[in-house]
Amino acid sequence: MSVSFVPVPVGSDFPLENLPYAVFSTKSNPTHRLCVAIGEHVLDLKAVSHLFAPALQAALQADTLNLLMSLGHEAWDEVRTQTQKLLLKGSEVELNVDLRSLALVPQAEISLHLPAHIGDYTDFYSSIHHATNVGIMFRGADNALMPNWRHLPVGYHGRASSVVVSGTPIRRPLGQTLPEGAEKPVFGACKLLDFELEMAFFIGGPGNQLGEPIKVDDAWKNVFGFSLMNDWSARDIQKWEYVPLGPFTAKNLGTTISPWVVTTAALKPFLLDNFPQDPEVLPYLKQTLPFNFDINLEVSLKPANDNETLISKSNFKHLYWTPLQQIAHHTVTGCNLRPGDLMASGTISGETPDSYGSLLELCWRGTKTVELQGGKTRKFLQDYDEVIIRGHCEKNGLRIGFGTCAGQVLPAHPVDQ
């Protein structure tokens, strides 16, 4: 077993087998640069870029991951292999005191930023349990899933400009709502603000040309890595506005992602069979490769000046549609994807109430309460609540983590009378 010269505490999200990417800066050097996490430190990839092949150096010296993403899976494997070598005992980084001091930075001293320039963002609706729950609430059990749901990965184009990194506060939105029993809408602050437990992946590779679909069994070449996501949702605004074209301002208020991008290579030990699909999908969506992962997910809610409470435990494996099918369907029209594009799973809910991935489900459309520590309860989010999402894989003593995806709700702006 390979051992890093950098200490990795027991239970760390970031062992040598993980090495998730991020973009960071420090007070002493505010320049944005790439890093990988190892234990409680990061390795500054710009500082060690000269130890990589010349064809890789420009990507490692960049201020976002986009150029590295564009190089493709063979380059990603080469960077990963060399990075692991540089972190082993006896490596050049360990033996060169000056280089080690420059390149190895404690995480306590860094600021983390969005890992890529996100050109486009697509949000899917791929959890059958979540889709069924929402359908039961609004249409009844006999009509829970829409006729198309089992035949294609339902999705919509989101707003890339409001994707923010973990730790960024989210302002409670203003908007139009239609109160119960009212005939006309009113304008004011959202009253039914919710989180959505999701995972997202970044598109990599050179991308496809406009007019050229990506085949489902080739789509893995376009998955650079995964992050945690909270796709904040204004339920009351959404209910009024979504007919006939779907979500708009109810979803563009903010989408939070974790700063760490865990590569597909790091997740390979946790591969699972794909979720069983019935009826059989059309040929362009028939996937022969397994691309499902055993990723444990959890959501905690922390009121202002109080302790956090774990309110949901779910798993990535509950997704009916895989990322490869999402890519195949997204591009079947010839839509071109670009490195750094972001695609999200949709809310990830399991079969049991403790695994539901939103307050809408946990409180079952406001008919129940979610119990918090200290006797507090919630149906939807209140001002200054913080939502914290965590994720990790664990098997045979190996733990691969995603860090945290957190955001606090700020009060809405005052409404001009």
Side-chain angles (χ1 to χ4, degrees):
M1 182 178 178
S2 300
V3 179
S4 173
F5 72 87
V6 183
V8 177
V10 175
S12 171
D13 276 355
F14 306 131
L16 186 64
E17 294 84 356
N18 191 355
L19 304 184
Y21 292 101
V23 171
F24 83 108
S25 64
T26 58
K27 288 184 178 179
S28 60
N29 183 357
T31 302
H32 289 199
R33 50 208 193 272
L34 307 188
C35 69
V36 295
I38 177 73
E40 296 177 340
H41 291 75
V42 298
L43 179 70
D44 183 339
L45 292 175
K46 184 175 182 179
V48 297
S49 60
H50 63 286
L51 301 176
F52 289 79
L56 302 172
Q57 291 178 13
L60 299 177
Q61 295 166 7
D63 58 3
T64 69
L65 282 165
N66 293 73
L67 183 53
L68 178 59
M69 290 172 172
S70 74
L71 297 183
H73 64 96
E74 292 179 351
W76 307 339
D77 289 344
E78 186 177 348
V79 171
R80 177 176 171 81
T81 298
Q82 177 65 358
T83 304
Q84 287 180 322
K85 289 179 180 178
L86 294 177
L87 290 167
L88 293 177
K89 287 187 174 181
S91 71
E92 183 169 351
V93 176
E94 182 187 24
L95 299 179
N96 184 328
V97 176
D98 292 338
L99 180 59
R100 186 175 75 233
S101 176
L102 176 67
L104 206 61
V105 185
Q107 289 182 29
E109 298 177 7
I110 69 173
S111 296
L112 292 164
H113 312 282
L114 278 177
H117 170 72
I118 301 168
D120 287 293
Y121 158 49
T122 303
D123 192 21
F124 286 91
Y125 191 52
S126 293
S127 165
I128 192 168
H129 305 304
H130 172 68
T132 300
N133 288 340
V134 174
I136 290 172
M137 286 183 221
F138 292 96
R139 293 185 299 273
D142 293 337
N143 193 30
L145 291 179
M146 298 298 284
N148 65 350
W149 200 91
R150 290 179 181 267
H151 294 276
L152 56 83
V154 174
Y156 73 96
H157 296 293
R159 182 70 185 175
S161 67
S162 54
V163 178
V164 297
V165 73
S166 176
T168 305
I170 297 296
R171 178 76 61 180
R172 182 180 297 274
L174 300 172
Q176 289 191 31
T177 61
L178 185 68
E180 289 291 334
E183 295 183 358
K184 296 181 179 180
V186 298
F187 181 78
C190 165
K191 296 179 180 179
L192 306 182
L193 186 60
D194 201 354
F195 69 85
E196 289 187 349
L197 168 61
E198 302 195 23
M199 290 202 69
F201 65 92
F202 281 95
I203 293 294
N208 59 312
Q209 296 298 314
L210 182 65
E212 298 296 327
I214 297 174
K215 294 181 179 180
V216 67
D217 278 341
D218 290 334
W220 65 270
K221 300 174 185 177
N222 296 90
V223 182
F224 178 77
F226 292 82
S227 294
L228 304 173
M229 174 182 279
N230 179 358
D231 195 26
W232 305 85
S233 296
R235 300 294 185 192
D236 46 354
I237 295 174
Q238 182 174 347
K239 181 182 177 183
W240 171 238
E241 76 173 3
Y242 84 102
V243 176
L245 293 181
F248 183 35
T249 63
K251 302 289 287 184
N252 68 10
L253 62 138
T255 300
T256 304
I257 62 171
S258 54
W260 304 106
V261 183
V262 176
T263 63
T264 306
L267 295 175
K268 283 183 178 179
F270 309 97
L271 268 173
L272 298 172
D273 290 337
N274 301 323
F275 197 102
Q277 295 181 332
D278 183 31
E280 186 177 11
V281 298
L282 290 171
Y284 80 98
L285 291 171
K286 282 185 181 177
Q287 178 179 332
T288 61
L289 302 174
F291 208 79
N292 193 16
F293 301 97
D294 186 10
I295 305 173
N296 300 297
L297 301 168
E298 61 182 49
V299 183
S300 293
L301 198 157
K302 184 182 183 300
N305 303 314
D306 210 337
N307 296 321
E308 65 180 73
T309 300
L310 179 64
I311 61 172
S312 177
K313 297 178 71 173
S314 191
N315 196 294
F316 183 89
K317 67 184 180 183
H318 296 309
L319 292 174
Y320 188 91
W321 296 102
T322 73
L324 306 193
Q325 291 174 315
Q326 291 167 357
I327 290 174
H329 184 63
H330 201 304
T331 64
V332 73
T333 58
C335 175
N336 53 321
L337 303 181
R338 296 175 293 188
D341 284 355
L342 191 68
M343 295 196 181
S345 60
T347 305
I348 305 174
S349 295
E351 297 180 84
T352 58
D354 61 347
S355 65
Y356 293 166
S358 66
L359 284 172
L360 177 68
E361 296 165 273
L362 290 167
C363 76
W364 205 256
R365 203 181 174 189
T367 62
K368 304 176 182 178
T369 57
V370 176
E371 304 294 326
L372 304 180
Q373 292 187 38
K376 294 181 179 178
T377 61
R378 288 289 186 275
K379 291 185 177 180
F380 290 94
L381 296 173
Q382 296 185 10
D383 289 346
Y384 302 109
D385 282 350
E386 183 180 16
V387 178
I388 306 161
I389 296 175
R390 298 180 176 91
H392 76 277
C393 310
E394 198 153 7
K395 181 180 179 182
N396 299 328
L398 174 63
R399 179 187 172 100
I400 299 293
F402 290 77
T404 60
C405 174
Q408 187 180 44
V409 177
L410 298 182
H413 289 300
V415 177
D416 294 333
Q417 300 298 324

